[in-house]
Structures are given as C-alpha cells and as structure tokens.
Amino acid sequence: MNFSSDNIQLFLAVLDRGSFSAAARALQRVPSAVSMAIGNLEAELGYPLFERGAREARPTAQARALEPHARLIAEQLGLLQAHALELSQGLESRLAIAVVPNIDQRRLLSAIATLSERYPLLDIELLAAPQEESLHLLDSGRVSLCMAFAGLQVDPRRSFQHVAVEPLVASLAPHHPALRSGRIHNLEDLFDVRQILVCSRDLPLSDPRSLISATHWRCNSLDLAMQIVEAGLGWGDFPLARAAPLFAAGRLVRLDFRNTQNALELPVRVFWLKQQPLGQAARILVELLATR
C-alpha cells in the first residue's frame, strides 16, 4: 500500500530540500507533479506529511517518524539496483570458497572484506575442510575457489595463483613424556611419538611431506587437533600464526631441533578449475589475494 520507490524518492527529496519546488528541480520534475504526488500519498495515509508555507514545506511529526525507515528502504533499493546491474555485467550472485584450516586465514578474510565493500549484496560462502576435501569440493564444482597448499604435482585440471608461504611448526605439550624425558633432539626423534594429522576422514592423504611418525591419529578439525596435542596425546604440525599464542601461554612448546629448522614452509595457492571460467567477483578476489 501507499509507498513505492517513486514516492519514497519524492518524500525524501522534499524532506532534504525543504520545499516542493526545490525537490522538483532536484528530480527534474515540475513542482505541481511533486505536490500532487505528495498530496495523493497523504490522502492514502490519512494524515499530512508536510505543513505547507509560502516558500517551504515543513515535515510533520508523522513524516519525521517515517523518515528513518524511508531512508533505509531507499538505500536498499539503491543497492538492489546496483547489484542487478552488476549481475548483468557478469557478476556472479554467489561465491563459494573452500579453505584449508591449517592456513592462516587473515589474508583471505581481508580480501573478502574488500570484496564485500565493493559488492555488498554478493552472497559469500566459506567452507573449511582439510586439504584433500577442500580440493575435492573444487573438483566437484561445489566451490569456485579453493585456498590450499601446493601439492607435489601440478594438476592439469586446475589453474592457480601463488598467494603466500605458510610455516607449519612441530608442537608438543610441555607435559608430554617425550619432552619431559628429553628424548626429542632431532626431527627424526619424533618417529616414535604419535602424530596428530589434520586430514580428511575418507580421502587418502595426498601429500606425505608432513607425515613423520610411525603411528598417527587423523582429525578433520585443526582446533580439535590442537586440543588433542595440548592434552598430551601426541604432537602436531600447526600453522605458526595459530600456534604462537599457545606457545606464549606455555600451553604448547615449539620443538627446537638440533639438525634442522622447525618450520615446514609450504606454498599456499588459490585454485580454480580451468573448465569453469571465473566470475567477476572470483577474479577480483584472486587479484586481491595475489597483491596482499
């Protein structure tokens, strides 16, 4: 009833400019048409919106009460019109992204924040999954982009952009028997200590570089894996950005090896399928990730 996009525009123009004639000039209409439209709206509402003077139109209390709602609707209509235009120019309506939880996600979230400012109505979906599952989500078409570690081989089905290097550090609880007994001096000393892997429950491990110990437990959640290690049930390779606060708090220990640096530095890439050209938002997100 009553309000439409056109008379909301008229209502706000009279509010902002203080008279029907000034509103008419701003909207490139004749003053009589603006005055008649506001009069018809008032007749439908059953109360006046403006008190008419010789040169001005003063808003009534009812008009002031309606003003914030009208401005919100006008803003949303503007966003809707802009988004409709963007869609006609190649912007996808939804962007789904898979990300491996072992990767520091601050770079991705910063890029998404910039993208969402540019396209506020774009529907973005983030799916966190282990390496193998994230790439499977991409290959199956469930997501358009996948932020994951570089594999040992290049998959010809995928294109990629290098975005970062993520250091994974071997971590152990300070009360773990292997640490308390002083058994851990070199990297190979971890062979007999249970390893906690963040990997898929169902898919085979695609990259053996992080597999060191003779025995291991699998976990598909980084947070849970870190809690398992903190409980003294094994050791894990964790992203330095996530483990650093636990090191500082004394809840985990970054192992100090005599024979090598404790940091497995893995390249981080954003992947997409060659046979599925990227939409406008996806292309911009890849560019933002590459420049951060």
Side-chain angles (χ1 to χ4, degrees):
M1 102 174 199
N2 307 318
F3 280 103
S4 65
S5 58
D6 184 63
N7 55 32
I8 286 176
Q9 182 186 42
L10 291 173
F11 171 62
L12 292 175
V14 177
L15 273 176
D16 292 338
R17 288 162 178 81
S19 71
F20 296 123
S21 57
R25 285 194 298 272
L27 298 175
Q28 296 183 338
R29 303 188 186 187
V30 296
S32 60
V34 173
S35 179
M36 181 179 297
I38 294 295
N40 291 337
L41 179 60
E42 290 173 325
E44 290 186 27
L45 292 171
Y47 51 77
L49 294 172
F50 298 96
E51 295 176 0
R52 277 74 167 169
R55 291 181 172 272
E56 62 181 0
R58 295 184 300 275
T60 62
Q62 292 95 328
R64 289 300 186 193
L66 293 173
E67 180 182 2
H69 304 287
R71 293 196 184 281
L72 178 61
I73 293 171
E75 180 183 1
Q76 293 297 319
L77 283 171
L79 291 174
L80 178 61
Q81 291 168 352
H83 192 58
L85 177 60
E86 290 160 354
L87 291 174
S88 71
Q89 295 174 344
L91 178 71
E92 57 270 49
S93 60
R94 173 178 165 275
L95 177 59
I97 308 160
V99 58
V100 175
N102 302 53
I103 294 171
D104 185 0
Q105 296 165 20
R106 289 176 294 183
R107 176 188 297 266
L108 175 62
L109 295 178
S110 174
I112 288 175
T114 301
L115 184 68
S116 65
E117 289 177 1
R118 188 177 304 186
Y119 304 119
L121 295 185
L122 176 66
D123 183 12
I124 296 179
E125 181 181 17
L126 285 175
L127 301 175
Q131 174 86 5
E132 297 78 15
E133 291 184 8
S134 287
L135 291 171
H136 178 70
L137 289 170
L138 176 69
D139 294 339
S140 66
R142 176 64 178 80
V143 299
S144 301
L145 294 174
C146 173
M147 192 169 176
F149 294 116
L152 292 173
Q153 297 178 334
V154 174
D155 191 319
R157 298 172 299 169
R158 305 174 189 142
S159 296
F160 72 87
Q161 171 64 53
H162 174 83
V163 295
V165 173
E166 185 74 50
L168 302 181
V169 293
S171 310
L172 200 61
H175 59 274
H176 192 283
L179 193 62
R180 296 180 65 181
S181 64
R183 289 194 287 123
I184 309 299
H185 303 291
N186 299 318
L187 178 63
E188 61 267 24
D189 294 333
L190 290 174
F191 182 79
D192 295 322
V193 182
R194 181 189 300 118
Q195 185 173 358
I196 309 303
L197 291 175
V198 180
C199 58
S200 172
R201 296 172 300 176
D202 306 313
L203 300 175
L205 191 65
S206 61
D207 189 345
R209 281 176 292 183
S210 61
L211 185 58
I212 294 174
S213 300
T215 61
H216 61 271
W217 288 355
R218 300 164 71 99
C219 178
N220 67 349
S221 164
L222 175 63
D223 289 334
L224 181 56
M226 296 180 77
Q227 292 178 47
I228 292 172
V229 172
E230 189 178 350
L233 299 176
W235 74 274
D237 256 337
F238 299 137
L240 180 58
R242 291 288 303 274
L246 299 183
F247 296 153
R251 294 164 57 186
L252 288 180
V253 173
R254 180 177 181 176
L255 297 174
D256 186 13
F257 301 126
R258 294 175 181 175
N259 62 341
T260 188
Q261 178 186 5
N262 181 5
L264 176 60
E265 296 187 341
L266 297 179
V268 176
R269 295 171 176 173
V270 57
F271 296 92
W272 62 94
L273 295 180
K274 290 181 179 178
Q275 65 183 18
Q276 294 181 358
L278 291 180
Q280 183 175 329
R283 288 197 306 271
I284 292 173
L285 185 61
V286 171
E287 293 170 1
L288 290 170
L289 287 169
T291 56
R292 271 171 163 70

